[in-house]
Amino acid sequence: VQEQFKKGEISQQQYDALQREIIETENQLNKLESAANQSNAALNKIEAVANNISGGAQKVADATRGISVAAGGAAVGMLGMSAGAAADDINTLAKQSGFGTDEIQKWQYAADRMDVSVETIISSARKMKKNMVSTSKDTIAAWEELGVAVTDSNGELRDSTTVFYEAVDALAKVENETQRDTLAMQLFGKSADEMAGIIDDGGTALKEMGAEAEASGLILSQDALDGANAFNDGLDTLKAKAQQAFFSSGAALAENLLPM
């Protein structure tokens, strides 16, 4: 353009207009660089979290060895995002139900192999936990009839997971089906009907599958879940920063560059 200006092929106004475009573009690039730096800070936080999950990272590395670097990296990234979302779900279910994350994961594992959903198991367990402190005469009578104690010798509430399995086992021993269904409904609520497959064998299959998941190393610790959860939160932050960068700088930059 400078050569064209010297030769008189473009006017002073055209030359000045291009200079203004260059200055404006530089300003937009500076804004975009600032936004990119903010996104980079978010990435650094995610990297710090990822470094703490060394055990899981090593397993992923072993699993993806032999795949191309690009495909392996994409796979790890997808696994990370999937694990982050799954960890968030597990922590949420644990808070909503009042049961530990270990038990929630065991139930998820078992539910995939049994004719019952994990939502049904959790809903039933949550209802039962509420009924452990119920003052309803019918509920108290149901506990007594099954012979399941909800408090210990000191009057303190017993572990809800232990009580859950004891209740299922006691229900399986009730020979009269109508009576068993009534008691199950009293303790587990509306989802009792869908729990039939678990109640029939006294929860044996549910416990065995939970033990299988634990023995296979499929149960993540609370620290690992929290780390994956933090990774998920970091991704959300990164998405927000990227969107901010696009709207603040991307559109204006495109507007300046496209005509040229």
Side-chain angles (χ1 to χ4, degrees):
V1 173
Q2 288 176 340
E3 288 299 320
Q4 287 179 318
F5 178 63
K6 290 177 181 177
K7 294 177 182 178
E9 295 176 358
I10 62 173
S11 67
Q12 181 69 49
Q13 289 180 332
Q14 288 176 309
Y15 183 79
D16 291 343
L18 179 59
Q19 292 298 320
R20 287 194 296 271
E21 289 287 348
I22 291 173
I23 292 171
E24 178 64 22
T25 301
E26 287 178 343
N27 290 335
Q28 295 299 332
L29 283 171
N30 288 334
K31 291 180 182 179
L32 183 59
E33 182 180 13
S34 176
N37 287 335
Q38 293 178 14
S39 297
N40 190 53
L43 277 170
N44 288 335
K45 291 180 181 179
I46 293 174
E47 183 181 10
V49 172
N51 287 336
N52 289 332
I53 315 176
S54 57
Q58 185 58 52
K59 289 181 181 180
V60 172
D62 292 341
T64 56
R65 188 172 292 127
I67 306 176
S68 70
V69 173
V76 171
M78 291 303 293
L79 283 172
M81 287 184 280
S82 178
D88 187 46
D89 288 343
I90 292 169
N91 281 330
T92 299
L93 287 172
K95 289 177 182 177
Q96 290 176 345
S97 66
F99 286 80
T101 54
D102 283 8
E103 203 60 42
I104 296 295
Q105 292 176 84
K106 290 177 183 178
W107 289 343
Q108 284 182 327
Y109 178 83
D112 288 340
R113 291 153 182 78
M114 300 177 69
D115 190 22
V116 60
S117 69
V118 68
E119 288 79 15
T120 294
I121 300 173
I122 292 173
S123 175
S124 300
R126 182 167 50 188
K127 179 66 175 178
M128 184 221 70
K129 187 170 184 177
K130 289 182 179 179
N131 282 327
M132 287 175 65
V133 294
S134 172
T135 56
S136 165
K137 292 181 180 180
D138 292 338
T139 302
I140 294 173
W143 287 119
E144 291 176 350
E145 187 170 348
L146 289 173
V148 177
V150 296
T151 56
D152 58 23
S153 57
N154 296 320
E156 300 291 332
L157 282 175
R158 298 176 64 211
D159 175 64
S160 54
T161 301
T162 301
V163 173
F164 172 78
Y165 282 111
E166 286 184 3
V168 170
D169 182 55
L171 283 167
K173 296 174 182 176
V174 178
E175 295 181 0
N176 185 298
E177 290 187 13
T178 302
Q179 182 185 10
R180 181 173 60 196
D181 292 344
T182 301
L183 290 171
M185 187 74 72
Q186 187 65 49
L187 297 184
F188 295 141
K190 297 178 180 179
S191 55
D193 287 342
E194 300 173 52
M195 287 281 288
I198 292 175
I199 293 174
D200 286 344
D201 71 347
T204 299
L206 185 64
K207 286 187 285 187
E208 287 178 350
M209 288 185 185
E212 179 183 311
E214 191 168 27
S216 301
L218 300 176
I219 307 302
L220 297 177
S221 69
Q222 188 61 57
D223 286 344
L225 287 171
D226 290 342
N229 220 145
F231 177 82
N232 197 51
D233 291 342
L235 285 178
D236 289 340
T237 300
L238 182 60
K239 290 175 186 176
K241 292 291 184 184
Q243 188 177 45
Q244 178 187 10
F246 172 78
F247 284 118
S248 65
S249 302
L253 187 60
E255 183 179 352
N256 288 323
L257 291 176
L258 282 175
M260 291 185 281

